[in-house]
Amino acid sequence: DEFDLLFSCDVFVYIGDLFEVFKNTKHSLKKGGLFAFSTEFLEEGSAGTCDYSVQSCARFAHKQSYIELLAEKVGFAILKLEKCHIRKNAGKYVTGMLVVMKCLP
């Protein structure tokens, strides 16, 4: 627990299961530290009961409910979670989430 802020942009599209990432991030942050990241958005009801899925562009997308569940399970409070366009792929906007979380004691 030495860092005030950890930021990851356009990285989680290469990782499906984020549990270990969240857990290790929490252990690296000071209490009250911030964890900010982006991920591609997966609609609830898509991919059956899976929390994440590889898209046709070979990148992972994650459900909002999965991000919320991990935050609660690991010990983060979500300060901001916004669905928005995070990049373009082949000239089309890609919908994702920008998330800011606070490390709980």
Side-chain angles (χ1 to χ4, degrees), residues 10-71:
D10 205 29
V11 173
F12 294 162
V13 295
Y14 302 107
I15 305 168
D17 184 353
L18 298 176
F19 176 74
E20 290 296 322
V21 174
F22 275 48
K23 186 174 80 169
N24 291 325
T25 298
K26 178 160 172 64
H27 292 304
S28 298
L29 283 171
K30 292 179 180 176
K31 302 306 177 228
L34 299 178
F35 178 29
F37 62 90
S38 66
T39 187
E40 290 190 16
F41 184 80
L42 182 62
E43 292 286 341
E44 299 295 331
S46 298
T49 59
C50 294
D51 294 320
Y52 50 87
S53 179
V54 176
Q55 305 302 290
S56 59
C57 61
R59 292 172 172 240
F60 282 98
H62 300 86
K63 292 180 180 176
Q64 180 174 333
S65 61
Y66 177 61
I67 299 301
E68 293 168 342
L69 176 70
L70 284 180

Side-chain angles (χ1 to χ4, degrees), residues 74-101:
V74 174
F76 286 105
I78 296 175
L79 302 178
K80 181 78 172 178
L81 190 152
E82 184 173 326
K83 184 177 167 185
C84 59
H85 296 134
I86 57 170
R87 65 181 178 83
K88 280 189 173 182
N89 187 49
K92 295 181 182 178
Y93 285 108
V94 175
T95 301
M97 292 179 282
L98 297 177
V99 185
V100 179
M101 299 180 175

